[in-house]
Amino acid sequence: MLVGIDVGGTYTDAVLLDAGKVIRQIKVASEHGQVLASILTALDEILQGIETQCIERVALSTTLVTNAIVQGKLDPVGLFIMPGPGADWRGRLAAEPLVLSGYVDHRGRERQEIALDEVKQTCKKMAGVKLFAVSGKFAVRNPAQEQKVAGILAAAMQPLHIACGSTVSGNLNFIRRTNSAYYNAAVWQRFQDFADAAAAALAERGVQAPILILKADGGTLPLAKARELPVESIFTGPAASVLGVMGLCPPAKPAVSLDIGGTTTDIALWKGGAPLMDAKGAAINGYLTAVRTFRLHSIGLGGDSWLRRDGDRLLIGPERKGSAMALGGAEPTVTDALIVAGLSDFGDRGLAEAAIQRLVFPGKSLQETAQVIIDQAAEIVANAVREMLAIEAAAPVYKVEDIVRPELLRPELLIGVGGGAAGLTPLIAEKFKLAWQVPPLAMVANALGAALARPTLHISLRADTAAGEYTVPELSLRLPLNDRRYSIQQAVKQAALHLQEMAAAAGITADEIETTFGEEFNLVRGFSTVGKIVHVGVQIKPGIIAGLIDAAATGGAGT
Amino acid sequence: MSNAKAKPLGLVFFPAFDWAISPTHPEREERLLFTRDQVLEEGLLDLPQIREYKPRLASIADLERVHIGVPDIASLITDAHRVSAGGAITAAESVLRGETAKAFALVRPPGHHAMRVVHGTRGFCTVNIEAVMIESLRRKYGLRRVAIVDTDVHHGDGTQDIYYHDPDTLFISFHQDGRTLYPGSGFPNEAGSPAALMSTVNIPLPPGTTDQGLHAVLDELVLPMLADFQPDLIVNSAGQDNHYSDPLANMAVTAQGYARLAEKLRADVAVLEGGYSIEDALPYVNVGIILAMAGLDYRRVLEPDLDRAPVQSAATTAYIGKLIADWQGKWANREQLRRSALAAAGNSWKRERDIYYDDSQIMEHQRESIHYCPHCPGYMAISTESSGSRTGDKSAFAVVLQQESCLVCRERGKDALIKAKRQRDHQYFVLQDKKEDSCGRI
Ligand SMILES: [Zn+2]
Ligand SMILES: [Zn+2]
């Protein structure tokens, strides 16, 4: 049996799966600021009467790291950077850095050495600091300088953790890698404490199954591996629900999925059966990081969005003033309108009518008013979808082929999950003349996504045959390469070997490996070819460990 | 320093990673690879002061607003040319629509050696992307006065050719002296045909010119000329081969020199041209130009091997000083020079040239005649013959009618074309009619 728990700001959802079927689902109020307590409340409830030996895995999607960052509960970090010459980094980093001399260039050649004395002098200013982040420009092309500084820190400072920019992300973008490394160090201790407590609490309950932590990119990591990369567990709520869609009704066609929750709607785009990723990374507290996420567009509209009139105008959200009046709230909400319109069927209908009565338009009935409200709500979401599709179509591409024969995303299906999905999804689909689907269990798609998410890892490999070497920054590897005709296929194979080794060490099975990108350039100097640059990315295919049986057979659908 | 409310720099970055003239040609897939790496690593595309745009495809009509292709422009280009010209248009339109303060089309293939008549590819260029951009803007936004400052190390002979008779376009090119570098032109006496005399300004610089010489020319000549001309739009043909590490030329400009130039020039639109030191110069020069155009601090953008940048010799400094003084004198007298040239020309002005297409190994022989009119800009007739093309020798006779050509001139131009067709001395007969915005065979 599989357990999935998603701790959200308002609710904690949990599901229990057995043989591809959801056998139990619960929703409990989250205990404010008490992530572990929320998890255990949900766990105890969902495991009631279940033999704990039957549990095969427990996957957690938590707000722990997100909350720590948003609330500024961050530990002091010694942030060392080697920016070299170039653009101004000031104002772009999440913490004040200590700037070291030394840098490498875009080919990974060391152009200025690290000044060892300078590092040692700087260490003296850091007495008592136990967490460090080290980041150099172009360290992904040559991690040696980061390694050297980390080595000095390890010897001199008895650190608890040192995060290197090139290991938290193999992508180009010095600013984002630096911020990722910084946050990784700043939340490290808090995450260790959580991991220790979670492991102990589960052991106490006799649960011996492995614990997995969901990441923002929709993959999971075994707890031991997640301890190294806590920053990856930010913003997992929306990722969990995208994975839930994958478990409930994986779209075979290009699609748009909506997670219509209490206060927000998260929109994702699907192509080739998979959600689109954000290649650059998430923004945390206004600072850009390299943490991979799904490409999500979030708007402030959900079932609990507050309804009120401003003269003739009806205003919807983005504020939430509590739950729907039908459920005992104080202010009218979108959910109340859905109930009055007959599109949702729960809570107290009389209270919902009283809610809409407050907003009724002159000359319009209660029913008509509810219709106007939900149409306006649907239009808000539809506009956000249009905007997202327009941004996708306008995304820059760097090849002639991609301009002349663009692969435009033309969605053929709209999928809705989350509490407000059943009522709103058909209306939004109508605006696009799209087929739509609201799977059963759409209310707990998030917890389901966590329960089913596969463990994933990704790495990149860049070979420079003229320099006679290849680099795998995520593993801090820079190895010799003596094959002038090295091809993309060879690079993918080699990268896959490194990935399998990394996976084995982390206790992950790497059976399905996919290529995320591949590019190859001849290096020509003078008029002759002197080598090649081959750059590839590989990952354990993200997705779900097993589909649900008969998931799509029931629920709502239409055209 | 710009603040968050100021309009951003529009950036069209199009490295054409799947296009090359040939595998080992300087214009190959890899050319902007290291520039892309540097731009991404610096995180420039994340800055609110920079907004990236996807290039659009220029239409054949966009290209034919400028060019007369023989046999036609469509058969001479690849899709990449339509993207790079379209990228320049996309960049410029972001400025004219008011979305951006300035724009930089960091695109390839380049265009400044492509002339009005096109038989093939010369100096890596087939269509003149700046001219295609400018004529598109003139058509759509009604711009009139445009200044082009060509800062590529090679003389922008294609742009010069296209605007040689246009007094509304000021073309300023500084470049390594044509006696020492391709294409071997761009001397001060090439200053425009009589009605447009002194709207072409060539400043041939000696090999070894550094930031110092370049900024002297900029401060004492180019910027005052721009102030006098009062253009509606300033375009920078932003070639980067004046860099000290460029393998195809012999100048000594640095990334800082280029960035400061971009800052002072305040071009509305910059369009990448040449620059073939793809590892040692382009990443730094492009980052410098982007930061400078976006109003950001570029002072720390330094090449790792900056200490090998040469120092300018005293002889070079003196030579440049004299060049500047000569031009200042002529510029002050420009009205009078133009009047006397027009008076001497009478009813028409002619020139006859051979034009070599190094990339296509084609030799063109061209005769141009401008027919003046007291009421309008007149019309132009061109006879062109080429040999050496793999598809055989070609010839064409073309008449160009200007936007403001009067009815009489329009009829005369068309008559000349019909007469030429009757004589059957050429294979193709083309009418480029700027008023009708059309170009086609008759
Ligand atoms: Zn050039
Ligand atoms: Zn006339």
Side-chain angles (χ1 to χ4, degrees), chain A residues 413-434:
Chain A
L413 178 68
L414 184 77
I415 299 167
V417 298
L424 283 175
T425 306
L427 297 169
I428 299 160
E430 171 62 27
K431 294 188 183 292
F432 293 96
K433 304 279 173 242
L434 277 181

Side-chain angles (χ1 to χ4, degrees), chain A residues 84-88 90 92 103 105-107 109 111 136-141 171-177 280 288 393-401 403-406 462 519 521-529 533, chain B residues 13-19 23-26 28-30 33-34 36-38 40-47 52-57 79-80 83 248 278-280 283-284 287 291 297-305:
Chain A
D88 194 357
R90 283 172 299 175
R92 304 181 73 189
Y103 73 98
D105 72 5
H106 51 77
R107 289 276 301 275
R109 291 169 298 210
R111 303 306 286 249
K137 197 175 283 175
F138 283 115
V140 287
R141 295 288 153 83
N171 288 352
L172 288 174
N173 199 320
F174 168 63
I175 303 290
R176 286 177 180 270
R177 288 196 313 272
K280 291 169 127 188
L288 302 176
V397 291
Y398 296 155
K399 287 184 175 176
V400 177
E401 180 67 20
I403 297 276
V404 178
R405 276 165 282 276
R462 186 171 185 277
E519 60 178 30
F521 290 90
N522 284 326
L523 288 167
V524 180
R525 294 299 171 266
F527 280 85
S528 56
T529 306
I533 301 261
Chain B
F13 180 53
F14 189 72
F17 281 148
D18 53 350
W19 185 85
T24 59
H25 192 284
R28 62 178 181 273
E29 295 89 343
E30 177 200 358
L33 174 64
F34 307 106
R36 177 202 63 180
D37 287 356
Q38 195 78 34
L40 291 184
E41 180 67 355
E42 301 280 8
L44 297 191
L45 302 180
D46 289 333
L47 289 166
E52 195 182 5
Y53 286 84
K54 180 182 188 170
R56 75 164 167 87
L57 263 183
D79 288 332
V83 184
L248 303 186
I278 62 175
E279 257 191 73
D280 297 332
Y284 310 103
V287 166
L291 291 174
D297 189 351
Y298 58 80
R299 287 167 303 174
R300 292 266 307 136
V301 178
L302 306 167
E303 302 86 336
D305 63 355

Side-chain angles (χ1 to χ4, degrees), chain A residues 277-297:
Chain A
M277 300 295 296
D278 182 341
K280 291 169 127 188
I284 304 180
N285 262 6
Y287 293 103
L288 302 176
T289 75
V291 176
R292 297 170 10 130
T293 62
F294 289 126
R295 197 183 308 169
L296 296 174
H297 185 40

Side-chain angles (χ1 to χ4, degrees), chain A residues 104 128 138 365 457 480 491:
Chain A
V104 295
F138 283 115
S365 69
L457 290 170

Side-chain angles (χ1 to χ4, degrees), chain B residues 21-79:
Chain B
I21 290 182
S22 71
T24 59
H25 192 284
E27 263 310 335
R28 62 178 181 273
E29 295 89 343
E30 177 200 358
R31 186 173 161 224
L32 292 176
L33 174 64
F34 307 106
T35 293
R36 177 202 63 180
D37 287 356
Q38 195 78 34
V39 166
L40 291 184
E41 180 67 355
E42 301 280 8
L44 297 191
L45 302 180
D46 289 333
L47 289 166
Q49 293 90 345
I50 294 165
R51 177 168 167 189
E52 195 182 5
Y53 286 84
K54 180 182 188 170
R56 75 164 167 87
L57 263 183
S59 65
I60 294 297
D62 288 328
L63 308 183
E64 288 184 334
R65 200 172 284 126
V66 171
H67 293 295
I68 295 160
V70 186
D72 54 60
I73 203 75
S75 63
L76 296 170
I77 59 159
T78 64
D79 288 332

Side-chain angles (χ1 to χ4, degrees), chain B residues 152 154 241 274:
Chain B
D152 190 279
H154 302 97
D241 33 16

Side-chain angles (χ1 to χ4, degrees), chain B residues 112-113 152-154 241 274-276:
Chain B
H112 76 148
H113 296 301
D152 190 279
V153 77
H154 302 97
D241 33 16
Y276 300 94

